[in-house]
Amino acid sequence: YADITDDTQFANYQDIPVINKLNTFRQNLPKDPRRIQDLPLNWEQSFTILMELKKRVDNDFNYLTRGNGKTERVKRRKKDKARDMQRLLAFALLVIVPPIRCRSLAELEFGRTIKCGLKDNSGFQPRSLLSDISLARFYYDMKANDYKTGKVYGDYFVELPNKQFEDGSCFYDYLNRWFFEGYRDSLLSHQQVHQRMFVKPK
């Protein structure tokens, strides 16, 4: 509606009839909304799910039982592992990273709203310009128009934590594989080109 309203004449989209009807509907709703008494998932359950998703990504083989009863080990395709990795990263960004709204999460763009490099007193240096890429960190970099409350809070720049897991691997290991080892690209359909972090599965 931002493209069709005349904000020089009408405040809060009041020249859009359906908006006026929705506002009236909202005003007539009960004033005491239903409250969620119990969290759908607690921290321990969320982390358990995260570890199960990680286990799927780390699994390099499928085990198939043939008609003769013998079990055959088959190496998993990169594309299959990439689907699991996308689920892992989406969930990890909700569990181990400062939360953002679902829409902002879905619209993350590599190189714009999620970046890899190093920020110091001289500014931000992208990963490609670092002499030692092991120093690179991941950051959310959102301008005021990139998220819903941006007009109130302004630019949002925060480093993503590099959670270390019990097996010695880190959250960044999976982000690096996703962006720099072709896992994300393997899910792009033919001739599809975009910089969104997440690729819609076919």
Side-chain angles (χ1 to χ4, degrees), residues 1-24 26-27:
Y1 295 115
D3 295 330
I4 62 176
T5 189
D6 183 356
D7 56 8
T8 63
Q9 300 292 326
F10 300 93
N12 299 323
Y13 309 104
Q14 291 175 345
D15 53 337
I16 310 295
V18 69
I19 294 294
N20 291 327
K21 291 183 179 181
L22 287 171
N23 283 334
T24 300
R26 184 179 62 182
Q27 291 169 4

Side-chain angles (χ1 to χ4, degrees), residues 44-100:
E44 289 77 13
Q45 292 168 327
S46 299
F47 199 74
T48 298
I49 293 172
L50 184 69
M51 291 299 97
E52 287 299 318
L53 293 171
K54 179 181 180 303
K55 188 185 300 182
R56 287 180 63 89
V57 173
D58 293 342
N59 179 25
D60 291 328
F61 298 95
N62 286 327
Y63 294 87
L64 306 177
T65 302
R66 301 300 183 185
N68 57 10
K70 292 185 178 180
T71 300
E72 180 180 349
R73 191 174 76 163
V74 180
K75 188 172 179 62
R76 297 183 69 201
R77 298 183 308 161
K78 188 172 192 174
K79 192 170 186 177
D80 295 332
K81 294 187 69 173
R83 290 192 182 99
D84 288 335
M85 191 175 294
Q86 179 164 243
R87 296 185 186 100
L88 169 66
L89 293 176
F91 196 71
L93 288 179
L94 294 171
V95 175
I96 62 177
V97 176
I100 58 176

Side-chain angles (χ1 to χ4, degrees), residues 137-152:
R137 312 289 293 178
F138 284 89
Y139 303 86
Y140 284 149
D141 183 11
M142 298 186 183
K143 306 305 179 187
N145 60 349
D146 288 324
Y147 66 108
K148 185 174 181 179
T149 53
K151 292 181 179 179
V152 177

Side-chain angles (χ1 to χ4, degrees), residues 27-53:
Q27 291 169 4
N28 292 329
L29 289 175
K31 301 303 181 185
D32 187 19
R34 180 177 65 87
R35 298 179 182 275
I36 297 176
Q37 298 299 325
D38 299 313
L39 290 174
L41 292 174
N42 60 33
W43 165 250
E44 289 77 13
Q45 292 168 327
S46 299
F47 199 74
T48 298
I49 293 172
L50 184 69
M51 291 299 97
E52 287 299 318
L53 293 171

